């Protein structure tokens, strides 16, 4: 459960990113939760000259329903980040919010992918956006500009906290290693699945994954 949010000073965020960029060779970037528009502007400014894979997980709310941004701010943040030409990894609800679509409206995920590409000019994989209860179905546009669906069987587990972050982070890493977008998705989904299988058993209602290399 999220109990409290603390806004970091913009100067602190900028100095931390600059330090990492100056100290280490950067092969890829994964952007997670952003809390305000100024954070997005700083990240966009500092990464705009980087010719590396950038993956963005546009987190709108926690699994326990804690909302991190008002809808208008949320959309504005990721319009700024889209200028970096990243890969977005929204879930179905997040994709609908970013596209101004009512969450209760049933719509073909393939249309969502097309609309997202047209609006944000960035590639996207909309995660767990199918209708199956037994498989996780992700929709994306492949290297030949064809809409594809990647399906993988779901695992019944309480230990799935961090599965979205794990997927988007591993996607950035596999892209940086030179794998195609389609292959990177496949490898990232399989890795995330293995982390769920290897999760420590803490007897929690919503436990963490088990990460291993």
């Amino acid at each position: 459960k999220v109990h409290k949010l603390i806004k970091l000073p913009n100067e602190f965020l900028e100095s931390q990113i600059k330090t990492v960029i100056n100290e280490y060779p950067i092969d890829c970037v994964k952007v997670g939760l952003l809390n305000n528009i100024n954070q997005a502007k700083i990240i966009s400014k500092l990464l705009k000259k980087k010719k590396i894979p950038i993956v963005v997980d546009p987190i709108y709310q926690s699994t326990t329903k804690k909302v991190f941004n008002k809808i208008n701010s949320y959309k504005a943040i990721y319009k700024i980040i889209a200028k970096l030409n990243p890969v977005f990894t929204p879930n179905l609800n997040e994709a609908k919010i970013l596209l101004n679509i009512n969450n209760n409206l049933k719509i073909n995920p393939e249309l969502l992918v097309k609309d997202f590409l047209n609006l944000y000019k960035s590639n996207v994989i909309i995660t767990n956006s199918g209708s199956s209860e037994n498989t996780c179905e992700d929709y994306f546009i492949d290297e030949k500009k064809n809409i594809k669906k990647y399906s993988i069987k779901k695992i019944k587990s309480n230990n799935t906290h961090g599965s979205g972050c794990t997927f988007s982070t591993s996607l950035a890493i596999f892209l940086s290693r030179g794998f195609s977008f389609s292959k990177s998705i496949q490898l990232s989904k399989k890795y995330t699945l293995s982390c769920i299988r290897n999760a420590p058993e803490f007897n929690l209602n919503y436990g963490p994954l088990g990460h291993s290399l």
Side-chain angles (χ1 to χ4, degrees):
K1 184 178 180 179
V2 178
H3 293 280
K4 188 175 183 179
L5 294 176
I6 300 176
K7 180 182 176 181
L8 294 176
N10 295 327
E11 296 81 5
F12 176 79
L13 174 65
E14 184 168 359
S15 69
Q16 288 294 293
I17 296 175
K18 285 181 176 178
T19 299
V20 172
I21 290 175
N22 292 332
E23 290 289 331
Y24 303 101
I26 307 298
D27 297 318
C28 62
V29 170
K30 181 258 178 155
V31 179
L33 172 63
L34 297 178
N35 192 235
N36 60 70
I37 291 174
N38 286 330
Q39 289 181 352
K41 290 179 178 178
I42 290 169
I43 291 171
S44 180
K45 179 183 71 173
L46 295 179
L47 296 182
K48 65 182 179 181
K49 293 183 179 179
K50 291 290 183 182
K51 304 300 181 183
I52 55 176
I54 298 174
V55 175
V56 178
D57 185 8
I59 300 170
Y60 176 68
Q61 66 180 15
S62 70
T63 305
T64 53
K65 307 301 181 183
K66 172 64 177 179
V67 174
F68 299 113
N69 286 288
K70 294 181 179 179
I71 288 181
N72 287 339
S73 295
Y74 176 73
K75 291 185 289 188
I77 285 169
Y78 293 106
K79 286 290 287 186
I80 294 170
I81 293 296
K83 296 176 182 178
L84 296 171
N85 192 30
V87 174
F88 282 89
T89 62
N91 58 33
L92 183 59
N93 180 48
E94 291 163 343
K96 287 182 176 180
I97 294 172
L98 290 169
L99 292 171
N100 301 308
I101 296 173
N102 189 306
N103 189 43
N104 295 322
L105 182 65
K106 291 185 178 181
I107 187 169
N108 189 327
E110 295 186 7
L111 294 177
L112 293 177
V113 170
K114 287 182 180 179
D115 289 346
F116 196 99
L117 181 61
N118 289 333
L119 182 60
Y120 289 90
K121 311 302 180 188
S122 297
N123 211 342
V124 64
I125 172 169
I126 302 179
T127 61
N128 199 22
S129 51
S131 57
S132 174
E133 295 182 359
N134 298 318
T135 60
C136 181
E137 299 175 341
D138 301 345
Y139 287 80
F140 64 98
I141 297 179
D142 69 5
E143 300 76 17
K144 297 180 180 180
K145 305 301 180 183
N146 296 316
I147 296 180
K148 297 288 186 179
K149 178 177 72 173
Y150 183 80
S151 300
I152 194 167
K153 188 175 181 180
K154 291 181 180 179
I155 297 176
K156 290 185 179 180
S157 173
N158 290 333
N159 303 315
T160 57
H161 187 195
S163 55
C165 295
T166 297
F167 170 71
S168 55
T169 302
S170 56
L171 180 61
I173 293 171
F174 284 121
L175 287 170
S176 74
R177 291 179 177 178
F179 291 101
S180 69
F181 186 46
S182 299
K183 185 65 175 179
S184 295
I185 290 172
Q186 179 185 2
L187 292 170
S188 300
K189 297 301 289 189
K190 288 183 177 180
Y191 174 70
T192 303
L193 204 64
S194 71
C195 291
I196 296 174
R197 288 196 181 102
N198 296 324
E201 188 51 69
F202 294 137
N203 294 318
L204 300 173
N205 292 329
Y206 186 43
L209 274 65
H211 296 92
S212 60
L213 297 177

